[in-house]
Amino acid sequence: MQMGLIGLGRMGANMRERIRGAGHDVVGFDPGTTSSDVESLQELVARLATPRVVWVMVPAGEPTRTVIEQLSHLLGAGDLVIDGGNSRFTDDKDHCALLGDRGIAYLDCGVSGGVWGLQEGYGLMVGGAAGDVARAMPIFDALRPAGEHAEGFVHAGPVGAGHYAKMVHNAVEYGLMQSYAEGYELLAAEPLITDVGAVLKAWQRGTVVRSWLLELLVAADSDDPGFECLTGYTDDSGEGRWAVEEAIAHAVPAPVISAALFARFSSRQPDSPAMKAVSALRNQFGGHDVRLKELSA
């Protein structure tokens, strides 16, 4: 099968390699890299035999909207566009309508696997019409992990369902990472624990908290014990915020996901005004000690 791939960043480049490794023809384009197979979107479209399949793997928001808009003028009836980025699910309806007006089919695909996907395969969550999903299945099969189909791929529902499923997936990931991180800090705070990394490593087999994320935490601590080379600043890519908004909209209690998101916000405040206020209040009502800043001479 032949496919165009727009976006050759950390995930896109590895996806191109994995799909090619399965015997498919992939034409890649990314103006920000030197690894493009073509010089422009126009050339990419011209290289593809009709009916074309084009996978978009660029940052969510305006970059994706811009590419979809450009493709709506370059592709034709019978072609298929797959958005594999982390777009907000509400954008999918607009993308589908824009392309649909020109007879171009659309799928949204949540992709999980990060930089390890080339070796391990990618978890795929797809939204769209069943016929369009079936058409792209050779590509999905090339990307997904080996083993049972249902354990690495799902047709989650109509357009928007794939990105909604990926949004919830990433929100769960927020909560899991925060829990592991708090456990790590608690272990590190206790003098009785003489080797935090060894404790974490011992959790990797036989325990109910074993997971791939735990394996990655163990590897990270081994590379940089105590994370001495890192700051605590932690960014968020949007899905956590969207998931909390969805939890509110559906009246679904999501205290762990919400707390994990807000913990990331607190990481960006080296001298949090809120915590200053808490310290001041504790001093006011209970006479508790406060830590004052050391003033320079």
Side-chain angles (χ1 to χ4, degrees):
M1 184 173 180
Q2 187 185 45
M3 186 187 81
L5 176 60
I6 303 169
L8 300 173
R10 285 173 296 180
M11 284 188 68
N14 283 346
M15 289 169 63
R16 177 177 62 174
E17 187 174 343
R18 186 173 175 88
I19 296 168
R20 284 177 174 173
H24 301 290
D25 177 20
V26 183
V27 182
F29 171 67
D30 190 328
T33 73
T34 59
S35 61
S36 286
D37 302 310
V38 293
E39 298 297 323
S40 66
L41 281 180
Q42 291 83 351
E43 187 181 349
L44 179 143
V45 171
R47 283 268 298 271
L48 300 176
T50 57
R52 308 172 187 90
V53 176
V54 178
W55 189 301
V56 180
M57 202 70 188
V58 301
E62 193 57 38
T64 295
R65 284 191 287 271
T66 298
V67 171
I68 297 292
E69 172 68 27
Q70 292 171 332
L71 288 174
S72 72
H73 298 291
L74 294 171
L75 298 175
D79 292 340
L80 170 64
V81 171
I82 305 170
D83 177 11
N86 282 330
S87 294
R88 188 165 187 169
F89 76 98
T90 51
D91 291 342
D92 292 316
K93 182 179 179 181
D94 294 336
H95 295 161
C96 185
L98 175 64
L99 295 168
D101 286 343
R102 293 170 170 80
I104 305 166
Y106 177 81
L107 295 174
D108 58 286
C109 182
V111 182
S112 180
V115 296
W116 295 90
L118 174 59
Q119 302 168 227
E120 305 293 334
Y122 299 88
L124 305 174
M125 297 145 267
V126 182
D132 297 326
V133 174
R135 177 179 167 189
M137 192 57 71
I139 299 298
F140 296 142
D141 282 339
L143 287 171
R144 69 176 179 84
E148 187 175 341
H149 192 275
E151 292 184 355
F153 173 89
V154 63
H155 179 194
V159 166
H163 281 147
Y164 195 97
K166 180 57 167 33
M167 173 191 71
V168 176
H169 165 281
N170 282 23
V172 171
E173 182 183 295
Y174 274 46
L176 290 172
M177 286 193 290
Q178 185 65 28
S179 181
Y180 281 129
E182 291 175 9
Y184 176 91
E185 183 172 353
L186 189 56
L187 288 170
E190 174 50 58
L192 288 171
I193 302 298
T194 57
D195 191 336
V196 174
V199 173
L200 296 175
K201 191 170 185 178
W203 290 355
Q204 289 183 250
R205 291 185 182 274
T207 77
V208 295
V209 298
R210 64 190 184 274
S211 75
W212 187 40
L213 281 175
L214 177 60
E215 292 175 16
L216 295 176
L217 179 60
V218 170
D221 180 68
S222 177
D223 292 340
D224 178 19
F227 307 121
E228 295 295 332
C229 296
L230 301 178
T231 70
Y233 184 100
T234 306
D235 212 341
D236 71 285
S237 55
E239 294 93 334
R241 301 183 189 214
W242 304 338
V244 170
E245 291 174 7
E246 285 300 300
I248 294 169
H250 292 292
V252 172
V256 173
I257 291 170
S258 302
L261 174 65
F262 290 130
R264 295 197 182 192
F265 294 162
S266 68
S267 77
R268 301 165 207 178
Q269 297 177 290
D271 205 4
S272 167
M275 295 315 297
K276 287 182 183 180
V278 169
S279 181
L281 284 169
R282 291 180 75 249
N283 177 257
Q284 288 291 320
F285 71 71
H288 298 287
D289 290 339
V290 295
R291 293 192 179 186
L292 303 177
K293 285 187 176 179
E294 294 184 6
L295 301 177
S296 57

